[in-house]
Amino acid sequence: MKLIEIGILVLSLGFALAASAAPGQELFSAAKYGQVPSIQAALKAGADVNSRFDVGKTALMVAAEQGRDAAVEALVDAGADLYMLDNNNWDALAHAAMSLHVSTVNLLLRKGIDPSKNNWRALAVVRSQSGGGMDRRGSSTRLTEVQAILEAAYKRSGTTGTVGALPGSPSAATARVLLQEEMAEPILIDVSERKVTSEIFKSAAARALLQRGWKIIATEPGQITGTLTKDKEYRARISFKPPMIIKIEFIEGYGSRRPNWLVNLKEDLEIELNATLVR
């Protein structure tokens, strides 16, 4: 074969490789910036939805990391593998969790991802950040939300024991793995014969929590949530369903075996209600 023919052949192969790589790069970029039409165009042009890019990430991982929910949904619907791992042994759910994208974590769970398939890697990643640098950067609320979502999924799965670690993940001590506790049963107060209004409930429940050393973190219509830090963070909710029932309970993912804590809140709450109603 003449040299000129060899040269033409090499150039042709180069152009062919560049052309095949172009849809893949377009897919990566579109996933990163959440451009659904571009994702669809890249896939139509021949891009592999599960192709790997920087440090072994797939387009789905990139979209999840960036919190691009529309892109995540488009990629999953196009057949993206939910369980592929990058070079750090992280899946798409772990990337969404680490980046504290609450809506993306919820979306992936709705799309059917089973967190246990990769040994609850996403939960391990979030637990390793609990109380660490992310809190100091002002992201504690989203960190708490993401962890609560994954802790709830962990409990619903019926899994026992601690969250396992994949190769390269932090040690149990570093990750500050917390055991999921069995929660005490909720306590109900019958107030059907008392004239308890929503305002009376709110002020009495708030005082009951504060007197026992709880910090109020959320006040919503008909319910108040408090947090107490001992060996770990605990959360309790007091809710009112007019005109009959007040319910005192630990929150899933922040539970405790200590029924006496709920009894103490009940006693203080009844004292506050009686004091208010006799005025």
Side-chain angles (χ1 to χ4, degrees), residues 98 100 125-141 143-144 147 174-176 178 233:
M98 182 62 179
L100 305 184
V125 166
V126 172
R127 283 179 173 178
S128 72
Q129 296 300 319
S130 183
M134 285 197 170
D135 286 344
R136 294 193 293 272
R137 291 202 296 270
S139 299
S140 59
T141 300
L143 175 59
T144 298
Q147 183 167 351
T174 303
R176 303 173 63 216
L178 307 175
E233 182 186 0

Side-chain angles (χ1 to χ4, degrees), residues 113-166:
I113 193 169
D114 179 355
S116 69
K117 286 287 185 69
N118 285 331
N119 211 19
W120 295 92
R121 184 68 174 103
L123 181 53
V125 166
V126 172
R127 283 179 173 178
S128 72
Q129 296 300 319
S130 183
M134 285 197 170
D135 286 344
R136 294 193 293 272
R137 291 202 296 270
S139 299
S140 59
T141 300
R142 287 186 293 132
L143 175 59
T144 298
E145 287 185 54
V146 170
Q147 183 167 351
I149 292 166
L150 293 172
E151 294 282 4
Y154 180 64
K155 186 173 182 179
R156 285 195 303 271
S157 75
T159 305
T160 58
T162 59
V163 173
L166 291 175

Side-chain angles (χ1 to χ4, degrees), residues 8-79:
I8 292 172
L9 179 59
V10 170
L11 286 173
S12 299
L13 288 172
F15 286 133
L17 289 172
S20 64
Q25 290 300 321
E26 183 181 349
L27 179 64
F28 178 83
S29 179
K32 183 176 181 180
Y33 296 105
Q35 300 164 337
V36 174
S38 297
I39 289 174
Q40 295 169 338
L43 293 173
K44 189 175 181 179
D48 179 357
V49 72
N50 291 314
S51 55
R52 295 181 180 277
F53 303 97
D54 183 38
V55 297
K57 293 179 184 177
T58 64
L60 179 60
M61 294 176 197
V62 173
E65 182 181 44
Q66 298 297 321
R68 309 294 187 184
D69 288 358
V72 167
E73 188 159 18
L75 289 163
V76 173
D77 289 347

